Structures are given as C-alpha cells and as structure tokens.
Amino acid sequence: MNNERDFNRILDECLDRVIRGEGIEACIADYPEQAAELRPLLEAAAGLQSTRFTPSADSRRQARLRFHQALDKRRQKPVWARVPAWAAAAVGVVLLAVAGLAGLNVINPPGDDPPTIIVSAPASGDAVNFRFLVSDAPNDIGDFSSLVVTVDRVALLKKGADGEAWVAFTPEVKQFDLTQLIGAASRQLWQGEVPEGEYTKVELIASSVKGTLKSGETIDIKLPSNKLQIGIPFTVGAGTVTSFTFDITVNKTGQGSGKYILSPQAAESGAAYEKKP
C-alpha cells in the first residue's frame, strides 16, 4: 500500500467495520503498516458512536469537524483536495452512518432493523427486471490459483414512502472463483423480479471464502462479519432490466503477514440499464 487511493479504501473498510461493532484493534491488526494513520481516524469515528448528541444541524457539523480534524493531521492539503471523488463520497457515506448510530440522524433506531422481503427467481424470463453479477478487481488476486467464495444470500436496501426494507434472495449460483473473474469478466449469480423503486445499498452474505495460493497452500480469507456491503444508489424501473455488478477484491493485510482480506470495490461496482425487448 503506497498511495492515497489504497489508504482511502482501507479507511473506508475499517470505518464500516467499526460501525458494525468490530473493535479498532482487530482492524488495525489487519493493516499494521497503516496502524499509525488509521488509529486516530478510527478512534474519532468510535467516539462519535459512543456519544449521544442532540439531533441538530450544529451537532452534525461538529461530528464532521471532529472526524476531519483527525483526517487533516495526516495530510498537508485539505482532505477533499487530495481524496479522489469516489473515495470522498464513500467516506462521507460512512461518516453519516456513524452519525446516525450516534443519535444524530436516526431513521431506524438501533435494534429496529428494516423488514425483509424475500423474493425468488420468476417462472418466466419475461418477468426479469434485475440481474446480480460479481466481478473481481485485480489487486492481489495474482497470488492465488483459486479463491472460491460461497454466498448464502444477497440483500438490496429499498427506499420507500413508509421507510426502508431489505429485498433479499438466495443466489441461483452460490459459488464462484474470483480468479476467473478478473477485470471485465463477471459471473451472473441471480436474475429475477424485485419491487420497482429506488435502492441505496447491496449486501452480500458469504458462508466461506477459501483460497489456494500458487504455492499450493490453502488458506482462509478474512471476511469481516461474513458480509460485503456497498452503498451505491440505483433504480429498478418499469420496462427496464437493471444489472448490478458487485466488484470484490482481495488484498494482503501487511507485508509478510501471509494473511488476506476480502473487501468490496465501490469504484468498480454499480448498475447498468437496458430496455426490455
């Protein structure tokens, strides 16, 4: 990891893990070379989680200020002048999520998760309005002869007039090898019909990640909370098929550690739209 973009990806991942309740030390242990820079940022985010504020515009500004003060300590230039647009947006989304858990903008109180709607593949192809695919960003996948991910469930977070709801389905293809999906290659895991509307997040629940290095050694790949999550808005509309590609990457957690971690790649993920014939 030797550039700003890599650090932003690691920071985004660790912030998400802290929000979901994982300890700071566990995340830092996966990235020892970035520990000195990560610690103050994660501690600032954890501080926001543990403090209860009055839900006002001023307290939201103060929450952001505290976080960006920690960011500024590691950069000479202002943060938004150095961070690529996609990374800035990702950090912003994560920060807002932290603020929500801290009582700044709670839509669903802790413990009150959105309801889940289970959908299945349609009997007829004419009803298909959504396809879910996976792909792999290169990074450290070249170390592996195979890296097999087993997926139990995929869930899409839908916005609605009465609040949010998860739309979940079990993939028709539950296993895939990331070494076969590098770059432009992708694999469709499911197609079917989901409720029309606006969606804000995609969550992939995996039961196992098994990697075989080119040396022949078989290793387990770390997957925090057994899930991968990306906050990217997209729509499913009438007369259109939405194809969402969820890009996944594997990275070494430190020089010489022999450990790897799986994480989502927001910059390469997103939806494509085509009109139905």
Side-chain angles (χ1 to χ4, degrees):
M1 303 293 176
N2 56 7
N3 58 51
E4 195 75 11
R5 187 183 179 95
D6 287 334
F7 183 85
N8 291 329
R9 179 190 58 74
I10 294 170
L11 173 61
D12 185 33
E13 174 204 314
C14 288
L15 283 168
D16 187 52
R17 290 166 65 177
V18 169
I19 289 168
R20 295 200 301 255
E22 190 169 344
I24 291 174
E25 296 303 325
C27 194
I28 287 177
D30 288 334
Y31 296 106
E33 295 174 4
Q34 289 77 30
E37 294 179 289
L38 283 173
R39 186 180 297 280
L41 298 171
L42 298 181
E43 288 177 348
L48 290 176
Q49 272 190 272
S50 62
T51 306
R52 291 294 182 264
F53 295 97
T54 302
S56 66
D58 181 64
S59 51
R60 284 193 292 271
R61 285 193 295 270
Q62 291 300 317
R64 292 180 66 87
L65 177 62
R66 288 179 59 189
F67 182 82
H68 289 302
Q69 283 175 337
L71 273 174
D72 289 339
K73 287 182 179 179
R74 68 171 295 273
R75 298 184 175 101
Q76 294 180 348
K77 294 182 180 180
V79 59
W80 305 120
R82 295 274 304 274
V83 182
W86 69 268
V91 171
V93 168
V94 173
L95 180 58
L96 288 176
V98 173
L101 290 176
L104 301 182
N105 187 22
V106 176
I107 297 174
N108 293 292
D112 186 15
D113 292 331
T116 299
I117 303 168
I118 305 297
V119 296
S120 58
S124 169
D126 294 339
V128 170
N129 66 1
F130 184 79
R131 296 189 179 105
F132 182 77
L133 305 92
V134 290
S135 185
D136 174 62
N139 290 325
D140 292 320
I141 193 68
D143 294 354
F144 294 84
S145 59
S146 72
L147 202 167
V148 178
V149 182
T150 303
V151 180
D152 289 339
R153 189 183 71 167
V154 176
L156 320 172
L157 188 60
K158 184 180 184 298
K159 292 171 59 177
D162 298 325
E164 298 177 319
W166 287 104
V167 176
F169 53 84
T170 299
E172 297 169 279
V173 177
K174 300 191 72 171
Q175 280 192 342
F176 53 90
D177 184 348
L178 281 178
T179 65
Q180 305 300 311
L181 302 176
I182 301 173
S186 63
R187 178 74 184 272
Q188 180 174 298
L189 303 190
W190 188 87
Q191 68 172 14
E193 185 176 17
V194 301
E196 295 177 6
E198 298 181 27
Y199 292 80
T200 60
K201 188 180 295 183
V202 179
E203 186 174 270
L204 186 152
I205 310 297
S207 57
S208 70
V209 184
K210 301 289 185 181
T212 301
L213 296 172
K214 289 184 174 178
S215 64
E217 179 186 0
T218 299
I219 60 173
D220 289 331
I221 311 298
K222 185 175 180 63
L223 180 59
S225 304
N226 291 325
K227 70 172 66 174
L228 297 169
Q229 193 175 86
I230 293 179
I232 295 178
F234 63 94
T235 60
V236 176
T240 302
V241 178
T242 300
S243 297
F244 190 97
T245 299
F246 194 112
D247 203 82
I248 304 169
T249 189
V250 64
N251 291 283
K252 293 177 181 177
T253 61
Q255 291 294 332
S257 69
K259 296 180 180 179
Y260 294 81
I261 189 167
L262 207 64
S263 59
Q265 192 83 346
E268 304 296 331
S269 301
Y273 307 91
E274 59 180 297
K275 289 185 178 182
K276 291 185 178 181

